[in-house]
Amino acid sequence: PGSVVGVLQNGTAHFFSFGGVNADGSGPRPDERTLYEVGSITKVFTAVLLAEMAEAGEVSLDTPMADLFPDGRTAPQLGDDPIVLWHLATHSSGLPAMPTNMPSTDAGDPFEGYTTGMLYDFVEGVVPTRPPEEGYEYSNLASGLLGRLLEQQAQKPWDELISERIFEPVGLGDSFVLVAAETEARIARPSAEGLPASRWGGEDALAPCGALVSSAADLLRFAAENIAPSDPDSTLALALDAAHTARFTDPATGQAVALGWHLAGDGTTLWHNGSTGGYSSMLLVNKPGQIAVIVLANGAAPTNITKAGDRIMRSLLSGAVPPPPTIEQASETPADHLTRLVGDYVSPIGFTIHVTSEGGRLGARLTGQSRFRVCPEGDADEPHRFQYRVVPAALVFDLPTEGKATAVTLEQNGQKMRAARID
């Protein structure tokens, strides 16, 4: 519905805006101070906080995470090598992507109600699938845990730490974890696949992995500080520089990861994208070229926003204009056919798939997750297979000749999980 693009080049910021701030694209055009949830770009700030505390001598990047666990809590470990703090910031810890004990108290916000106590309860029971540094597994759990361990060490809440040590020194006046009521009106309204979505909060235990709300102007200011620090000898400037160094390379894909940042194939561009239930974002910084790009949107379309930011950066670095990305359009499906698919489906292992239809579009929500649109595959009038766009997964419905679907199978990561309809 709306988007803001910010470009920093040769020390000058430029902003471009599109659409509107409301979920249907109406309302005022957004600008550089319009606020958006930026999702996993938050991980960069949590990792910079780690680097800052290491520069200040409060922790070491190599501090075992077990050393910072609260009294009475036990950290998981596989083999002789402990999980250390930088492992948590580089997706190389061996910890799972997400905890499985989230209470799902709010259908619009899967993190709502997840407490720090629940987080430690889950982590204590984890048996890592591999020792650290043997593989890459993108982990919201690890980044969220890192933030909570740093606050444990500093004896101050994580959101206050990043405000005092990053936001305030850089001058990020429009960056928040907890948004005051009077500021809410400045946030572009969330949407997903053309439908209104819910805002996510910032009070859950995993907030350090994705709870930041910010603006294009603030994020370009942060990018500028990464390129040319205003106080090069400060602890923060040293931390920002330390966070740029690649510390782990995925043996399977060759993806290099620094503290919080990923490195692009050119070896110099740092990037991180983000998404929540109703927003998408992409931030890229190229220090040698003194170029940064931020793309913010109030729509859950992370793949397209990531591609947009990447192509803008490539164009600025090369001087060549790349072809626009191809955006696949979903085929239309008759409303009476969608009605046959709507319902609740329960799997033998306990999770439920809630299938709904709004505005001629089919959506699905798994227990503890947000609702996402699923799009029909092929041009048949009565498709039984629907593909997710946000993740590589599909739903395949069991359809009798007449009447409602009797079951649905979730196909993801080579696995098939069947769930039967309940009345």
Side-chain angles (χ1 to χ4, degrees):
S3 179
V4 177
V5 175
V7 172
L8 179 70
Q9 193 171 26
N10 299 322
T12 302
H14 309 269
F15 298 97
F16 310 86
S17 59
F18 310 88
V21 298
N22 294 327
D24 61 359
S26 66
R29 179 169 291 199
D31 61 26
E32 66 270 23
R33 292 199 64 200
T34 302
L35 299 177
Y36 296 83
E37 292 179 1
V38 302
S40 288
I41 291 176
T42 309
K43 292 179 173 66
V44 173
F45 288 81
T46 297
V48 169
L49 175 62
L50 165 63
E52 199 272 348
M53 291 179 66
E55 291 292 338
E58 297 168 72
V59 297
S60 163
L61 298 181
D62 292 316
T63 297
M65 72 172 187
D67 291 359
L68 304 188
F69 264 52
D71 292 342
R73 296 286 192 173
T74 303
Q77 182 172 324
L78 184 67
D80 296 329
D81 297 325
I83 298 171
V84 302
L85 296 184
W86 74 261
H87 293 147
L88 300 175
T90 56
H91 307 290
S92 61
S93 67
L95 295 178
M98 289 285 287
T100 57
N101 65 335
M102 299 173 71
S104 186
T105 58
D106 184 343
D109 179 358
F111 296 91
E112 176 69 26
Y114 193 60
T115 67
T116 303
M118 293 175 180
L119 172 62
Y120 283 117
D121 286 345
F122 176 78
V123 173
E124 280 192 297
V126 167
V127 178
T129 57
R130 53 173 171 75
E133 300 181 54
E134 285 197 358
Y136 172 100
E137 183 171 40
Y138 189 86
S139 178
N140 287 309
L141 170 65
S143 186
L145 176 62
L146 174 61
R148 298 310 175 192
L149 293 175
L150 295 177
E151 73 176 13
Q152 177 75 17
Q153 175 67 12
Q155 290 297 292
K156 181 174 286 191
W158 162 82
D159 58 310
E160 293 183 19
L161 289 170
I162 61 169
S163 179
E164 293 175 3
R165 300 188 182 209
I166 304 175
F167 297 169
E168 292 175 13
V170 180
L172 306 186
D174 285 337
S175 296
F176 313 94
V177 174
L178 301 176
V179 180
E182 60 269 22
T183 307
E184 278 285 340
R186 293 180 49 209
I187 303 178
R189 306 322 301 164
S191 73
E193 300 285 3
L195 299 174
S198 298
R199 278 255 294 115
W200 287 5
E203 298 183 284
D204 59 89
L206 293 182
C209 81
L212 180 62
V213 171
S214 191
S215 67
D218 261 22
L219 290 170
L220 273 199
R221 191 172 294 113
F222 174 70
E225 194 71 15
N226 278 266
I227 293 171
S230 53
D231 182 1
D233 296 323
S234 68
T235 303
L236 178 57
L238 296 173
L240 291 170
D241 187 64
H244 297 169
T245 301
R247 298 181 183 275
F248 170 71
T249 300
D250 179 11
T253 66
Q255 173 66 65
V257 189
L259 293 180
W261 295 102
H262 292 72
L263 273 77
D266 61 14
T268 58
T269 300
L270 304 162
W271 66 270
H272 211 298
N273 56 6
S275 65
T276 62
Y279 300 86
S280 303
S281 57
M282 180 62 164
L283 175 63
L284 306 98
V285 176
N286 187 284
K287 190 171 183 176
Q290 298 185 40
I291 297 171
V293 175
I294 180 66
V295 185
L296 300 174
N298 58 328
T303 300
N304 292 330
I305 297 304
T306 296
K307 286 180 179 179
D310 178 65
R311 291 181 187 225
I312 293 168
M313 175 60 84
R314 290 187 187 207
S315 175
L316 293 168
L317 288 172
S318 68
V321 179
T326 300
I327 299 176
E328 182 181 352
Q329 301 296 321
S331 59
E332 296 294 327
T333 305
D336 57 349
H337 178 68
L338 297 182
T339 301
R340 299 176 63 198
L341 310 179
V342 170
D344 291 341
Y345 302 81
V346 177
S347 76
I349 61 174
F351 70 84
T352 300
I353 303 175
H354 307 275
V355 179
T356 57
S357 176
E358 297 179 52
R361 297 168 176 174
L362 203 67
R365 180 177 67 83
L366 273 65
T367 300
Q369 298 183 14
S370 296
R371 176 189 182 276
F372 294 107
R373 186 181 177 189
V374 287
C375 301
E377 283 197 343
D379 297 323
D381 289 337
E382 297 186 350
H384 68 282
R385 183 181 179 87
F386 287 74
Q387 190 77 29
Y388 283 89
R389 285 179 168 179
V390 296
V391 292
L395 295 178
V396 183
F397 292 89
D398 291 0
L399 274 170
T401 304
E402 295 182 356
K404 296 183 176 182
T406 57
V408 64
T409 299
L410 172 65
E411 297 183 354
Q412 187 173 16
N413 298 327
Q415 296 183 330
K416 296 182 179 182
M417 293 169 280
R418 189 174 185 274
R421 174 189 287 277
I422 58 172
D423 294 328

